[in-house]
């Protein structure tokens, strides 16, 4: 039985990916002016309500100019998994195509793209009682001890997690206790051969320094727009904490730590920019592993025109298929 979430039998859809700060939103809006599209966000941070500045969320005007999906669909207290994304994206792709519009998937969460392209095996759903029991044990023993326990039942997963990575250790133990199977079992089963026929346009800079400058400039713009106040308001809710997936997003974790007393704004800025650069590096590495990607130089003055030509060719090819 194939892994659930297979991308087969879906109508034509086009993906626009790239590292953070590569200009994906602007390119997507240009595509929307030229083609009847609806945008499906492929971004694990944009799903959260109240996290607008630090995620560079498209503005209300931009979202009004073309339909956007999978934005503001979760409270920051809630998790959103790759499996949920695949299910939501597949449903949306079919619905958008039925409206005679082109589904345009835009974002930089590469795990989501990979899950959509390759398929993902269903894992046990969240088990609040199990999670609470694991949390209680961790408070007594510490997360390094829980990591050691994980190493006994799932050495493959434990080997790739830091002993203090509470969120992922907790989930791995939860999966094992719920199913009797290690998390690595589900990951291995979902590792189908990557699809190489999904149209993927990749915005990539030939000069990494250019991207680094863009990342720094964008973060400074976020600071000027009130990013620290945004995180302060989230923290003031009282029900959020630093280990939630939402608060682990790049920028938010560093700002949260600062508000907890870890340095000043200048130090936080440097940590956040460094973390964003590392994220961009991982995104580019993933993109380079995708054989079907069509690379567009996002530094070029003609980047938008290149993207539009690539989309036009893909649409024509899809219409003829």
């Amino acid at each position: 039985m194939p892994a659930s979430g297979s991308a087969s039998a879906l109508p034509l859809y086009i993906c626009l990916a790239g590292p953070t700060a590569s200009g994906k939103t602007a390119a997507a809006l240009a595509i929307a002016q030229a083609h009847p599209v609806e945008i499906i966000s492929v971004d694990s941070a944009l799903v959260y309500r109240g996290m607008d500045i630090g995620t560079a969320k498209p503005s209300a005007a931009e979202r009004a100019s073309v339909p956007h999906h999978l934005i503001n669909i979760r409270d920051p207290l809630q998790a959103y998994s790759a499996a949920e994304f695949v299910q939501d994206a597949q449903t949306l792709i079919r619905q958008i195509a039925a409206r005679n519009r082109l589904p345009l998937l835009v974002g930089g969460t590469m795990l989501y793209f990979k899950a959509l392209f390759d398929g993902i095996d269903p894992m046990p759903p969240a088990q609040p009682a199990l999670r609470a029991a694991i949390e209680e044990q961790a408070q007594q023993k510490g997360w390094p001890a829980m990591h050691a326990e994980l190493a006994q039942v799932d050495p493959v997963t434990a080997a790739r997690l830091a002993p203090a990575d509470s969120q992922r250790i907790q989930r791995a133990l939860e999966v094992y206790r719920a199913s009797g199977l290690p998390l690595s079992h589900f990951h291995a089963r979902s590792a189908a051969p990557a699809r190489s026929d999904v149209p993927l346009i990749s915005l990539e800079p030939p000069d990494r320094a250019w991207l680094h400058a863009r990342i720094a400039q964008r973060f400074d713009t976020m600071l000027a727009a009130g990013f620290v106040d945004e995180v302060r308001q989230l923290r003031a809710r009282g029900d959020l904490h630093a280990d939630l997936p939402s608060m682990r997003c790049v920028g938010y974790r560093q700002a949260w730590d600062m508000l907890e007393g870890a340095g000043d704004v200048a130090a936080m800025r440097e940590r956040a920019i460094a973390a964003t650069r590392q994220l961009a590096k991982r995104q580019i590495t993933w993109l380079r592993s995708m054989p079907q990607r069509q690379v567009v130089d996002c530094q070029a003055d003609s980047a938008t025109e290149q993207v539009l030509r690539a989309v036009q060719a893909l649409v024509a090819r899809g219409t003829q298929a």
Side-chain angles (χ1 to χ4, degrees), residues 14 16 22-39 58 61-63 65-68 101-102 104 106 201 203 296 301-312 315:
I14 292 176
L16 177 65
S22 59
K24 296 184 293 295
T25 296
L29 293 174
I31 294 170
Q33 290 183 339
H35 298 275
V37 306
E38 294 187 28
I39 294 172
E62 289 169 335
R63 299 199 301 273
S65 69
V66 56
H68 283 69
R101 300 176 73 86
L102 176 66
L104 177 64
V106 182
I201 300 168
L203 293 170
V296 170
D301 293 337
S302 61
T304 299
E305 288 76 9
Q306 292 181 55
V307 168
L308 291 174
R309 285 198 300 269
V311 170
Q312 183 61 48
V315 169

Side-chain angles (χ1 to χ4, degrees), residues 210-238:
W210 176 89
L211 186 63
H212 289 176
R214 292 256 303 184
I215 288 170
Q217 181 183 41
R218 188 172 73 161
F219 195 73
D220 286 339
T221 300
M222 291 174 180
L223 288 174
F227 173 55
V228 173
D229 286 336
E230 179 176 81
V231 181
R232 186 177 285 114
Q233 290 173 7
L234 290 165
R235 187 167 171 266
R237 285 179 35 161

Side-chain angles (χ1 to χ4, degrees), residues 67-244:
H68 283 69
H69 303 276
L70 303 188
I71 293 178
N72 294 334
I73 62 171
R74 287 290 188 276
D75 183 85
L77 193 60
Q78 301 171 303
Y80 187 67
S81 69
E84 290 174 302
F85 166 78
V86 170
Q87 184 175 19
D88 290 344
Q90 288 182 335
T91 299
L92 286 164
I93 288 168
R94 293 187 174 99
Q95 291 174 344
I96 293 167
R99 293 192 284 268
N100 294 317
R101 300 176 73 86
L102 176 66
L104 177 64
L105 279 71
V106 182
T109 299
M110 302 309 171
L111 175 62
Y112 287 4
F113 278 121
K114 175 174 168 45
L116 181 63
F117 296 168
D118 299 359
I120 188 167
D121 215 46
M123 284 184 281
Q127 304 276 346
L130 279 176
R131 185 167 296 182
I134 294 167
E135 182 75 33
E136 184 176 351
Q137 280 186 285
Q139 289 176 0
Q140 296 171 359
K141 300 180 178 179
W143 284 109
M146 303 305 290
H147 181 267
E149 178 183 328
L150 178 63
Q152 296 297 315
V153 298
D154 188 357
V156 173
T157 299
R160 64 179 178 82
L161 299 182
D165 193 344
S166 57
Q167 175 196 347
R168 292 179 176 85
I169 294 170
Q170 183 181 56
R171 177 57 178 157
L173 285 171
E174 179 187 345
V175 167
Y176 178 76
R177 294 183 185 183
S179 66
L181 295 170
L183 183 63
S184 54
H185 163 85
F186 295 96
H187 286 174
R189 280 174 55 85
S190 66
R195 292 199 58 189
S196 59
D197 59 340
V198 176
L200 173 63
I201 300 168
S202 180
L203 293 170
E204 299 177 30
D207 179 7
R208 196 71 61 88
W210 176 89
L211 186 63
H212 289 176
R214 292 256 303 184
I215 288 170
Q217 181 183 41
R218 188 172 73 161
F219 195 73
D220 286 339
T221 300
M222 291 174 180
L223 288 174
F227 173 55
V228 173
D229 286 336
E230 179 176 81
V231 181
R232 186 177 285 114
Q233 290 173 7
L234 290 165
R235 187 167 171 266
R237 285 179 35 161
D239 59 344
L240 303 177
H241 57 83
D243 288 327
L244 286 168

